[in-house]
Amino acid sequence: MIAPLLDVRGLTVRFGGVVALDGLELDVRPREILGLIGPNGSGKTTCFNVITGLLRPDAGRVIFAGDDITGSTPQEIYRRGIARTFQRSRLYLELSVFDNVALGNGKRLDAGFLTTLLRRRRLARQFAATLAETRALLDVFAPALIDRLWEPVARLPMIDRRRIEICRALVGRPRLLLLDEPSAGMTEEEMRELMDDLLVVRERYGNLAIVLIEHEMGVIERVTDRCVVLNYGRKIAEGDYRSVARDPEVRSAYLGTDA
Amino acid sequence: MVDAALLAQHAVNALMLGIMYALVAVGFTLFFGVLDVIKFSHGDVLTVGAFTGLTVWLALVAVDLATPWLAVALLVLVPALATALLGALIGRFVVLPLKGAPPLNVLLATLMCGTILREAIRLFYPGGANPKPFPALLPTTAYQLGNLNLRLDSVLLFLTGVAIVVALHLVINRTRLGLAIRAVAQDAEIARVMGIDHVRTVLITFAIGSALAAVAGIMHGLYYNEINFSMGLLLGVIGFSSAVVGGLGNVYGAILGGFLFAFLQTLGAMAMPFASAYRDVFAFAVVIAIMAVRPTGLIAERGVERA
Amino acid sequence: MMDATVRTGRPPRLPVLAHGIAATVLVGLYVTLFLEAESQSAVLGLLAVGAAAAVVAARSGVGTRVIEVLEHHPVAMGLLAAVLVLMETWLFAERHFVLLMITTYLLYVTVGLGLTIQFGYAGTLNFAGASFYGVGSYTAAVLTAVPGFPPLLAIPAGGLVAAVCGSLLVAPVLRTRGHYAAVVSIAFALLFKTFLEVNEVLGGPQGLLVGSLSVAGYDFAAPLRPWPGTEWSFYVHHVLAALLLALFAYAVARRIEHSWLGLAMDAVRMDEIAAACFGVGIERTKVVAFVWGNMLIGMAGALYATMVGFIAPNNFTFADSLIFLSILLLGGLGSRPGLLVAAAVVVFLPEKLQLIQEYRFLLFSALVLVMLMFRPEGLVPRPPRGYPGGGGGP
């Protein structure tokens, strides 16, 4: 058994009287693609928010690469190598494609005040490097955008925004990528393309693990190595897609709320 | 040893200030409740109310109808209606059109509205640049309770304020209108689905809040016997701080915040009687301190962002 | 890769500089005529011409070219701007009032740049701009009264004290959402003025005298005699000092914007949650912006005080703070080119058009309100960010 990259133990989050996560146990192994599925409101996004430090859990631990990161700030967690996308796109619509992607590279960029004012050459070098990486990523995910690098994101269609958001998460070379419903607003074909692109990048980066929240079961079936099913903040099933799809509890959870 | 009579006098003063602050704060909190906006013209709407009251009084004097009770009734009613209309107009033509804009733009736009009102009074009201005397219309009979000197006008003003707060409570909790306001505040989308006219509810809320400000302005005038064009700026900032202290969106919190603020301010005046000139300085210092210590309000502000 | 189609280099230098020079000459001509204009009808006529020219420039794309030059060739354009100001100073060297206006313009530009860093970039609304300007002024008043204190040091000292005041004041509320910081700054603005009025050490409502600047015994408050028989206004010194300060402020603001720090500020302004998830320190970024903004504002205030020689609480009212903010909102939030235009409108217009002088607060608030409602991006919308080495930009 390989040590997990991410180990979530007994995670509990309450909003007032509502229990969003109830003793959740979850592990992500290096280089695997894990599908996180479950009906609406089952705690998937809350789980991402705790892992990335946006929410403090009421109980439980999050261990990443052997270190306890429970209660760390989002900034620290990003620097350790966890990056994410958001269910509702959180791109900076007024900023350019490049600005948006470059933001994801923050851990390798110097935003110190003295550097900003006095060491312009250093900034120019970092700019050139970030530009090259941005282009390389766009070359995989959205080659057409290389020509539109300086345009505000607001002018681009939703599908391009999704791709840019993924580039922003990837440019900092994370070890764990959390994707929150990337397929929203995409056709199945576009989603398939996106997942193929992700696999390309995973090969290139060597050790990238991905957790994918997704409602399109076709996508889950095709790309994930393993699935975890949540309901009412608890894990109700785990295993490869075929086995969890057959699980009676999973079926009743979906039928009971969604169907 | 602090003189007991002086202490009581301070307490009365704090209650008076408290009810005025509370009335202003309730407006801020109502606006935030229904629309999640800070309407910063609120304080200057108050000034407009006070000056409307003064104008009514001067008109009554001019036509020789200035009997105190009629004057008091008109002095409250006319400004309240005028500011209700003004508040609804600002809501309709400034705040609602900016619905999709960044929240700070709404704050700025309404602040500019307030500046326009303030400057218009300064420039166009006769002698508006100087403080104006406000008539003392209420009987000033003093009662001696032990060694406390209680004036009837203070008592009347305070009771009026309390009555208005109670009335507001009843409107919000016992009427269809109140139900609509609460529904919109809870969730505008669901309220719409329930068939509640969103724009109408918002505008009525703005009207009510603004009328309360006019009442506070008139009370301020009757209590201190003086009004000026920038009074609303000061009361607006204090009222807003009170609303924040009580948790924006929470009506009872705002009332509590108003009284808390008044007591802190009075406490400051008592602790430093040698520095009475610093009264306002102390008030604003309290605003800043409160913001620094309790930025989310005594009763947690709703709608705190979750990713 | 498709390097040829991606613009990362500067536009070619010569035709671009030609645009810059042409724009400078035209602006210089216009400003000269405007400052010379005496009759109200002449001023109104020039305003109409200016407005028409602005519309033509915007429609024809000339405006975009000028902004491109401004963004891509800061040193050349800075020199041209300096030459422009020096030319005007020389033309009006004997007229106190015109030089005072030019200095005021440059000081307002400096203040506007400070506020741009705070609000335009990092999104922290500061309603106490005039108060921090006042902090700088009063610092200068106090320091120039100290025997043996080198007067020139009063300028950076004014900035420093304003920066410290600002960080003490606002640091605690920066954690929270924008409107709390806004209210704290309003409270400070009102507190500051009331404090000055009741406080006797700092002169009360009557105000304080301020010593003049001097360098090695050369007094800035004495008239300038460039050659025998000619006497220039002492304001010439202050135009020069304010010009240096404005250029410094512009360089600081530009370098901040064109950097990762500027990107972080934009990110914090627009979405703190996304910014935090990509490692941006929210509080640190806001504090840096607030402190440096106030530094510039305080330095401008100190220079102002030594120029006018006398300051009183009434110079630093809440209404003045609103005027400073109006400049930003009129020009376009975060837009340095817009700031240069809007500051000119706000400073020169009321001085030349007596009919609006009294109503300027009313007028500018109304103008800003209209702008917020119908053109929130301002007169000259902020150009896209450029990067050191010539990437990006308009």
Side-chain angles (χ1 to χ4, degrees), chain C:
Chain C
M1 289 231 179
M2 294 173 270
D3 265 342
T5 52
V6 181
R7 187 177 64 232
T8 57
R10 302 165 182 231
R13 186 172 281 269
L14 188 70
V16 151
L17 274 186
H19 272 88
I21 292 170
T24 313
V25 170
L26 281 175
V27 170
L29 214 61
Y30 182 79
V31 169
T32 312
L33 286 174
F34 192 84
L35 292 176
E36 270 297 350
E38 293 291 344
S39 75
Q40 297 294 289
S41 53
V43 172
L44 283 171
L46 277 168
L47 278 177
V49 171
V55 171
V56 170
R59 289 280 155 82
S60 64
V62 172
T64 320
R65 292 309 307 257
V66 172
I67 291 169
E68 256 176 55
V69 187
L70 207 57
E71 284 295 273
H72 286 284
H73 299 279
V75 176
M77 288 309 288
L79 284 173
L80 280 172
V83 169
L84 177 86
V85 172
L86 293 176
M87 285 296 291
E88 298 300 333
T89 310
W90 177 63
L91 282 173
F92 296 97
E94 288 155 28
R95 286 164 57 181
H96 294 310
F97 182 65
V98 173
L99 295 182
L100 176 61
M101 260 195 294
I102 295 176
T103 319
T104 308
Y105 169 72
L106 293 167
L107 292 175
Y108 273 42
V109 165
T110 308
V111 171
L113 287 163
L115 290 172
T116 295
I117 297 170
Q118 297 175 337
F119 182 36
Y121 298 166
T124 305
L125 192 42
N126 179 0
F127 280 115
S131 313
F132 292 115
Y133 194 68
V135 171
S137 289
Y138 273 87
T139 306
V142 170
L143 288 179
T144 51
V146 176
F149 187 86
L152 211 53
L153 279 187
I155 307 288
L160 208 63
V161 175
V164 170
C165 279
S167 58
L168 288 181
L169 181 74
V170 168
V173 292
L174 283 180
R175 277 175 286 124
T176 61
R177 291 202 268 167
H179 47 255
Y180 295 112
V183 173
V184 167
S185 70
I186 294 181
F188 178 71
L190 300 177
L191 182 150
F192 179 72
K193 179 156 181 283
T194 326
F195 176 79
L196 289 179
E197 272 166 356
V198 295
N199 179 290
E200 272 149 39
V201 183
L202 291 174
Q206 273 70 50
L208 275 184
L209 285 172
V210 190
S212 61
L213 287 187
S214 63
V215 182
Y218 179 85
D219 188 2
F220 278 35
L224 180 69
R225 292 193 182 75
W227 45 80
T230 306
E231 189 177 292
W232 287 354
S233 161
F234 72 95
Y235 280 120
V236 169
H237 301 120
H238 297 96
V239 176
L240 297 180
L243 175 65
L244 287 178
L245 184 60
L247 287 172
F248 169 71
Y250 193 89
V252 169
R254 184 182 179 282
R255 290 194 161 200
I256 287 179
E257 189 189 353
H258 291 201
S259 75
W260 309 121
L261 181 59
L263 178 60
M265 286 179 183
D266 282 334
V268 167
R269 183 183 78 249
M270 292 191 264
D271 184 347
E272 292 189 5
I273 288 180
C277 285
F278 290 100
V280 177
I282 310 289
E283 286 163 53
R284 176 206 167 246
T285 308
K286 286 192 200 174
V287 169
V288 167
F290 206 77
V291 163
W292 277 87
N294 274 347
M295 181 87 191
L296 297 179
I297 295 169
M299 286 167 76
L303 182 54
Y304 165 80
T306 59
M307 172 178 74
V308 292
F310 170 75
I311 51 170
N314 269 335
N315 299 103
F316 314 109
T317 64
F318 184 59
D320 293 298
S321 292
L322 288 184
I323 287 281
F324 287 149
L325 270 181
S326 302
I327 295 177
L328 263 67
L329 296 165
L330 286 180
L333 198 52
S335 165
R336 282 172 279 106
L339 173 71
L340 297 178
V341 177
V345 172
V346 168
V347 171
F348 292 120
L349 210 57
E351 299 294 349
K352 296 300 283 192
L353 264 188
Q354 274 103 30
L355 80 209
I356 65 165
Q357 170 72 279
E358 175 71 11
Y359 304 104
R360 63 186 194 284
F361 293 133
L362 185 69
L363 188 82
F364 289 130
S365 327
L367 218 56
V368 170
L369 181 61
V370 169
M371 207 60 135
L372 282 167
M373 306 284 306
F374 302 108
R375 195 184 156 91
E377 71 275 25
L379 289 172
V380 188
R382 177 175 168 184
R385 178 195 333 281
Y387 282 96

